[in-house]
């Protein structure tokens, strides 16, 4: 597609349930990132995938969070046993090889509300 | 630890007035610097970026930013603000020289434009 596509755009879930958020990056982009945007917390890095390399998971806040990227394209961020503090906008982004200074393009985000 | 500070949480300007949004960073070496804009319900859009060379960088929508190494600043400016510029603006920096795989964002400045 023309841009980074995320689904669902909005998700309301009950505390304790698992959720999956999907990201479809721009075609040809080898790098894929997940960020979380919370009220009062700004944007925080979660995880980064680059080609076939092992992902950088250093930003994941707990072991309830995981992500995978299948076939070097689509990525799924999974949050298990959701908590109210997980409520946030989850932003996916992609870029060409990041080490050459290419622009990172963001999707519109998935707004997660845990009730 | 690397950090980005945007001291102004909320700024209101009149349409046609000039604008300056402040950004300071804390990082040992000269990082890559970015300004992103987020309109309501939209993803982040890159306004401009500084990698090296001329310290005055021109971006889209009439924005520019100046890198000042001595002040560790990368302030965003626009000579005449339009009502459509109302949005949230984020300054970001990469923690590793030359790599853009992990942006560190400031907490954002929300810009309101009065008629």
């Amino acid at each position: 597609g023309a841009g980074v596509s995320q689904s669902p755009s909005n998700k309301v879930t009950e505390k304790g349930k698992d959720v999956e958020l999907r990201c479809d990056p721009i075609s040809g982009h080898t790098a894929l990132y997940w960020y979380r945007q919370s009220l009062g917390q700004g944007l925080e890095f979660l995880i980064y995938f680059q080609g076939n390399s092992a992902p950088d998971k250093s930003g994941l806040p707990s072991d309830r969070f995981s992500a995978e990227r299948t076939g070097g394209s689509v990525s799924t961020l999974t949050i298990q046993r959701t908590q109210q503090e997980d409520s946030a906008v989850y932003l996916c982004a992609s870029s060409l090889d990041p080490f050459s200074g290419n622009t990172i393009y963001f999707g519109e985000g998935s707004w997660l509300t845990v009730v | 630890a690397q950090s980005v500070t945007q001291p102004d949480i909320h700024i209101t300007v009149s349409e046609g007035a000039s604008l300056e949004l402040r950004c300071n960073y804390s990082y040992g070496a000269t990082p890559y610097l970015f300004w992103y804009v987020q309109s309501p319900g939209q993803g982040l859009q890159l306004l401009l970026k500084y990698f090296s060379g001329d310290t005055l960088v021109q971006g889209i929508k009439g924005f520019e930013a100046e890198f000042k190494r001595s002040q560790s600043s990368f302030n965003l400016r626009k000579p005449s603000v339009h009502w459509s510029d109302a949005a949230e603006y984020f300054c970001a920096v990469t923690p590793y020289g030359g790599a853009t795989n992990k942006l560190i964002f400031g907490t954002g400045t929300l810009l309101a434009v009065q008629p």
Side-chain angles (χ1 to χ4, degrees):
Chain A
V4 178
S5 179
Q6 292 188 246
S7 61
S9 55
N10 285 285
K11 174 74 175 178
V12 179
T13 190
E14 292 181 352
K15 179 181 173 180
K17 300 281 190 182
D18 297 352
V19 296
E20 287 189 348
L21 307 176
R22 176 190 167 103
C23 173
D24 200 344
I26 294 172
S27 178
H29 281 190
T30 59
L32 187 147
Y33 318 76
W34 283 98
Y35 285 82
R36 179 168 70 174
Q37 186 175 21
S38 307
L39 280 175
Q41 299 292 321
L43 283 142
E44 56 178 325
F45 167 82
L46 296 177
I47 188 169
Y48 158 71
F49 297 89
Q50 167 58 24
N52 295 321
S53 302
D56 178 352
K57 305 179 183 180
S58 61
L60 295 178
S62 77
D63 58 8
R64 296 187 295 106
F65 288 73
S66 63
E68 63 177 20
R69 188 179 186 191
T70 54
S73 181
V74 172
S75 176
T76 301
L77 176 70
T78 301
I79 309 173
Q80 295 177 308
R81 305 180 302 282
T82 52
Q83 304 294 314
Q84 288 185 327
E85 61 263 29
D86 299 333
S87 296
V89 179
Y90 290 83
L91 291 167
C92 179
S94 71
S95 73
L96 295 170
D97 179 0
F99 294 94
S100 59
N102 289 295
T103 298
I104 298 174
Y105 295 89
F106 285 81
E108 294 187 0
S110 292
W111 189 289
L112 175 66
T113 303
V114 182
V115 297
Chain B
Q2 299 88 6
S3 65
V4 178
T5 302
Q6 293 181 248
D8 304 305
I9 297 172
H10 189 196
I11 284 182
T12 300
V13 299
S14 298
E15 191 168 14
S18 64
L19 171 70
E20 182 169 27
L21 302 182
R22 296 183 289 165
C23 173
N24 292 92
Y25 65 89
S26 171
Y27 184 60
T30 299
Y32 286 6
L33 296 154
F34 307 81
W35 275 100
Y36 281 84
V37 60
Q38 186 177 37
S39 299
Q42 305 280 320
L44 290 159
Q45 181 182 24
L46 181 69
L47 284 175
L48 47 79
K49 59 187 178 184
Y50 172 77
F51 285 173
S52 64
D54 192 346
T55 56
L56 185 62
V57 180
Q58 302 297 320
I60 62 171
K61 304 185 179 186
F63 285 91
E64 66 177 28
E66 186 172 13
F67 169 58
K68 292 186 177 179
R69 185 192 308 271
S70 62
Q71 298 177 18
S72 297
S73 70
F74 188 57
N75 293 349
L76 182 71
R77 301 193 295 249
K78 186 169 185 178
S80 177
V81 170
H82 188 263
W83 64 266
S84 60
D85 293 325
E88 190 156 22
Y89 292 79
F90 293 91
C91 182
V93 63
T94 57
Y96 309 110
T100 61
N101 64 341
K102 196 183 298 183
L103 289 168
I104 295 176
F105 285 89
T107 51
T109 297
L110 186 61
L111 174 67
V113 180
Q114 287 181 333

Short mmCIF file of all heavy atoms in Angstrom, two decimals, chain B residues 72-103:
data_model
loop_
_atom_site.label_atom_id
_atom_site.label_comp_id
_atom_site.label_asym_id
_atom_site.label_seq_id
_atom_site.Cartn_x
_atom_site.Cartn_y
_atom_site.Cartn_z
N SER B 72 22.98 22.59 22.36
CA SER B 72 22.29 21.29 22.27
C SER B 72 20.82 21.49 21.95
O SER B 72 19.94 20.90 22.59
CB SER B 72 22.44 20.50 23.58
OG SER B 72 23.78 20.19 23.83
N SER B 73 20.58 22.34 20.96
CA SER B 73 19.19 22.66 20.63
C SER B 73 18.90 22.43 19.15
O SER B 73 19.81 22.44 18.31
CB SER B 73 18.86 24.11 21.00
OG SER B 73 19.55 25.02 20.15
N PHE B 74 17.64 22.24 18.88
CA PHE B 74 17.18 22.04 17.49
C PHE B 74 15.76 22.60 17.45
O PHE B 74 14.78 21.88 17.40
CB PHE B 74 17.21 20.56 17.13
CG PHE B 74 16.95 20.26 15.68
CD1 PHE B 74 17.73 20.82 14.67
CD2 PHE B 74 15.93 19.37 15.31
CE1 PHE B 74 17.50 20.53 13.34
CE2 PHE B 74 15.69 19.07 13.97
CZ PHE B 74 16.47 19.66 12.99
N ASN B 75 15.67 23.93 17.47
CA ASN B 75 14.37 24.59 17.54
C ASN B 75 13.70 24.68 16.17
O ASN B 75 14.35 24.94 15.16
CB ASN B 75 14.54 26.00 18.12
CG ASN B 75 14.97 25.97 19.58
OD1 ASN B 75 14.97 24.92 20.22
ND2 ASN B 75 15.37 27.12 20.09
N LEU B 76 12.41 24.50 16.19
CA LEU B 76 11.60 24.54 14.97
C LEU B 76 10.98 25.92 14.83
O LEU B 76 10.47 26.48 15.80
CB LEU B 76 10.49 23.48 15.07
CG LEU B 76 9.56 23.33 13.86
CD1 LEU B 76 10.30 22.70 12.69
CD2 LEU B 76 8.35 22.48 14.24
N ARG B 77 10.99 26.44 13.60
CA ARG B 77 10.46 27.78 13.38
C ARG B 77 9.58 27.83 12.14
O ARG B 77 9.75 27.02 11.21
CB ARG B 77 11.60 28.80 13.22
CG ARG B 77 12.54 28.89 14.40
CD ARG B 77 13.42 30.12 14.29
NE ARG B 77 14.33 30.07 13.16
CZ ARG B 77 15.64 29.96 13.26
NH1 ARG B 77 16.21 29.85 14.46
NH2 ARG B 77 16.41 29.95 12.18
N LYS B 78 8.66 28.78 12.17
CA LYS B 78 7.88 29.08 10.98
C LYS B 78 7.56 30.57 11.02
O LYS B 78 7.10 31.06 12.05
CB LYS B 78 6.60 28.25 10.93
CG LYS B 78 5.83 28.43 9.63
CD LYS B 78 4.71 27.43 9.47
CE LYS B 78 4.06 27.59 8.09
NZ LYS B 78 2.98 26.60 7.85
N PRO B 79 7.80 31.30 9.95
CA PRO B 79 7.62 32.75 9.98
C PRO B 79 6.17 33.20 10.10
O PRO B 79 5.89 34.24 10.69
CB PRO B 79 8.24 33.23 8.66
CG PRO B 79 8.45 32.03 7.82
CD PRO B 79 8.41 30.83 8.70
N SER B 80 5.24 32.42 9.55
CA SER B 80 3.84 32.83 9.56
C SER B 80 2.97 31.58 9.69
O SER B 80 2.90 30.77 8.77
CB SER B 80 3.49 33.60 8.29
OG SER B 80 2.12 33.95 8.27
N VAL B 81 2.31 31.46 10.82
CA VAL B 81 1.55 30.25 11.11
C VAL B 81 0.17 30.29 10.46
O VAL B 81 -0.49 31.34 10.44
CB VAL B 81 1.41 30.09 12.64
CG1 VAL B 81 0.43 28.99 12.98
CG2 VAL B 81 2.76 29.79 13.26
N HIS B 82 -0.25 29.14 9.96
CA HIS B 82 -1.58 28.99 9.36
C HIS B 82 -2.44 28.17 10.30
O HIS B 82 -1.93 27.35 11.08
CB HIS B 82 -1.41 28.30 8.00
CG HIS B 82 -2.66 28.23 7.19
ND1 HIS B 82 -3.48 27.12 7.15
CD2 HIS B 82 -3.24 29.15 6.37
CE1 HIS B 82 -4.50 27.35 6.35
NE2 HIS B 82 -4.39 28.57 5.86
N TRP B 83 -3.75 28.35 10.20
CA TRP B 83 -4.64 27.62 11.10
C TRP B 83 -4.45 26.11 10.99
O TRP B 83 -4.60 25.36 11.95
CB TRP B 83 -6.11 27.97 10.84
CG TRP B 83 -6.61 27.55 9.47
CD1 TRP B 83 -6.64 28.32 8.35
CD2 TRP B 83 -7.12 26.27 9.10
NE1 TRP B 83 -7.14 27.60 7.29
CE2 TRP B 83 -7.45 26.34 7.71
CE3 TRP B 83 -7.33 25.07 9.77
CZ2 TRP B 83 -7.97 25.26 7.03
CZ3 TRP B 83 -7.86 24.00 9.08
CH2 TRP B 83 -8.17 24.10 7.71
N SER B 84 -4.06 25.65 9.80
CA SER B 84 -3.88 24.21 9.59
C SER B 84 -2.63 23.67 10.28
O SER B 84 -2.40 22.45 10.30
CB SER B 84 -3.80 23.89 8.10
OG SER B 84 -2.71 24.57 7.50
N ASP B 85 -1.81 24.56 10.84
CA ASP B 85 -0.62 24.10 11.56
C ASP B 85 -0.95 23.63 12.98
O ASP B 85 -0.07 23.08 13.67
CB ASP B 85 0.43 25.22 11.64
CG ASP B 85 1.00 25.58 10.28
OD1 ASP B 85 1.16 24.67 9.45
OD2 ASP B 85 1.28 26.77 10.05
N ALA B 86 -2.18 23.83 13.42
CA ALA B 86 -2.56 23.36 14.75
C ALA B 86 -2.42 21.85 14.82
O ALA B 86 -3.05 21.12 14.05
CB ALA B 86 -3.99 23.77 15.05
N ALA B 87 -1.57 21.39 15.72
CA ALA B 87 -1.22 19.97 15.80
C ALA B 87 -0.28 19.79 16.98
O ALA B 87 0.05 20.74 17.69
CB ALA B 87 -0.55 19.50 14.51
N GLU B 88 0.17 18.57 17.15
CA GLU B 88 1.20 18.32 18.17
C GLU B 88 2.52 18.07 17.45
O GLU B 88 2.57 17.33 16.47
CB GLU B 88 0.83 17.14 19.06
CG GLU B 88 1.75 17.00 20.26
CD GLU B 88 1.12 16.26 21.42
OE1 GLU B 88 0.18 15.50 21.21
OE2 GLU B 88 1.60 16.45 22.57
N TYR B 89 3.58 18.65 17.98
CA TYR B 89 4.89 18.59 17.35
C TYR B 89 5.87 17.86 18.26
O TYR B 89 5.95 18.15 19.46
CB TYR B 89 5.39 20.01 17.04
CG TYR B 89 4.58 20.68 15.98
CD1 TYR B 89 3.35 21.25 16.27
CD2 TYR B 89 5.02 20.72 14.66
CE1 TYR B 89 2.58 21.85 15.28
CE2 TYR B 89 4.26 21.31 13.66
CZ TYR B 89 3.04 21.88 13.99
OH TYR B 89 2.28 22.45 13.00
N PHE B 90 6.58 16.93 17.66
CA PHE B 90 7.52 16.12 18.42
C PHE B 90 8.92 16.28 17.86
O PHE B 90 9.15 16.13 16.66
CB PHE B 90 7.13 14.63 18.36
CG PHE B 90 5.86 14.30 19.06
CD1 PHE B 90 4.65 14.33 18.38
CD2 PHE B 90 5.85 13.97 20.41
CE1 PHE B 90 3.47 14.02 19.02
CE2 PHE B 90 4.67 13.65 21.06
CZ PHE B 90 3.47 13.68 20.36
N CYS B 91 9.85 16.53 18.76
CA CYS B 91 11.27 16.50 18.43
C CYS B 91 11.78 15.11 18.76
O CYS B 91 11.33 14.48 19.72
CB CYS B 91 11.99 17.57 19.25
SG CYS B 91 13.74 17.72 18.95
N ALA B 92 12.71 14.61 17.96
CA ALA B 92 13.23 13.27 18.19
C ALA B 92 14.71 13.22 17.85
O ALA B 92 15.21 14.01 17.04
CB ALA B 92 12.48 12.23 17.37
N VAL B 93 15.39 12.29 18.45
CA VAL B 93 16.83 12.13 18.25
C VAL B 93 17.15 10.65 18.19
O VAL B 93 16.44 9.82 18.76
CB VAL B 93 17.61 12.81 19.40
CG1 VAL B 93 17.30 12.14 20.74
CG2 VAL B 93 19.10 12.80 19.15
N THR B 94 18.17 10.31 17.44
CA THR B 94 18.63 8.94 17.46
C THR B 94 19.77 8.81 18.46
O THR B 94 20.65 9.64 18.51
CB THR B 94 19.15 8.50 16.09
OG1 THR B 94 20.21 9.39 15.70
CG2 THR B 94 18.07 8.54 15.06
N PRO B 95 19.75 7.73 19.23
CA PRO B 95 20.78 7.58 20.26
C PRO B 95 22.10 7.10 19.72
O PRO B 95 23.10 7.14 20.40
CB PRO B 95 20.18 6.54 21.19
CG PRO B 95 19.27 5.74 20.33
CD PRO B 95 18.74 6.68 19.30
N TYR B 96 22.12 6.64 18.49
CA TYR B 96 23.37 6.10 17.94
C TYR B 96 23.76 6.90 16.71
O TYR B 96 22.95 7.12 15.84
CB TYR B 96 23.21 4.64 17.56
CG TYR B 96 22.63 3.79 18.65
CD1 TYR B 96 21.35 3.27 18.54
CD2 TYR B 96 23.36 3.52 19.79
CE1 TYR B 96 20.80 2.49 19.54
CE2 TYR B 96 22.82 2.75 20.80
CZ TYR B 96 21.55 2.24 20.67
OH TYR B 96 21.02 1.49 21.67
N GLY B 97 24.97 7.31 16.63
CA GLY B 97 25.40 8.07 15.48
C GLY B 97 25.23 7.28 14.21
O GLY B 97 25.79 6.22 14.06
N GLY B 98 24.46 7.78 13.29
CA GLY B 98 24.31 7.16 11.99
C GLY B 98 23.18 6.16 11.89
O GLY B 98 22.83 5.73 10.82
N ALA B 99 22.58 5.76 13.00
CA ALA B 99 21.52 4.75 12.93
C ALA B 99 20.19 5.38 13.30
O ALA B 99 20.10 6.15 14.26
CB ALA B 99 21.82 3.59 13.86
N THR B 100 19.17 5.08 12.57
CA THR B 100 17.86 5.64 12.89
C THR B 100 16.90 4.56 13.34
O THR B 100 15.71 4.63 13.07
CB THR B 100 17.27 6.36 11.65
OG1 THR B 100 17.10 5.41 10.59
CG2 THR B 100 18.16 7.48 11.21
N ASN B 101 17.40 3.53 14.00
CA ASN B 101 16.53 2.43 14.34
C ASN B 101 15.81 2.61 15.66
O ASN B 101 14.97 1.80 16.00
CB ASN B 101 17.31 1.11 14.36
CG ASN B 101 18.37 1.11 15.44
OD1 ASN B 101 18.76 2.15 15.94
ND2 ASN B 101 18.84 -0.05 15.81
N LYS B 102 16.12 3.64 16.41
CA LYS B 102 15.48 3.79 17.71
C LYS B 102 15.38 5.27 18.03
O LYS B 102 16.24 5.84 18.68
CB LYS B 102 16.26 3.06 18.78
CG LYS B 102 15.49 2.85 20.06
CD LYS B 102 16.34 2.17 21.12
CE LYS B 102 16.81 0.80 20.71
NZ LYS B 102 17.58 0.13 21.79
N LEU B 103 14.33 5.89 17.57
CA LEU B 103 14.13 7.30 17.85
C LEU B 103 13.73 7.51 19.30
O LEU B 103 12.92 6.76 19.84
CB LEU B 103 13.02 7.86 16.95
CG LEU B 103 13.34 8.02 15.46
CD1 LEU B 103 12.06 8.30 14.69
CD2 LEU B 103 14.34 9.12 15.24
#
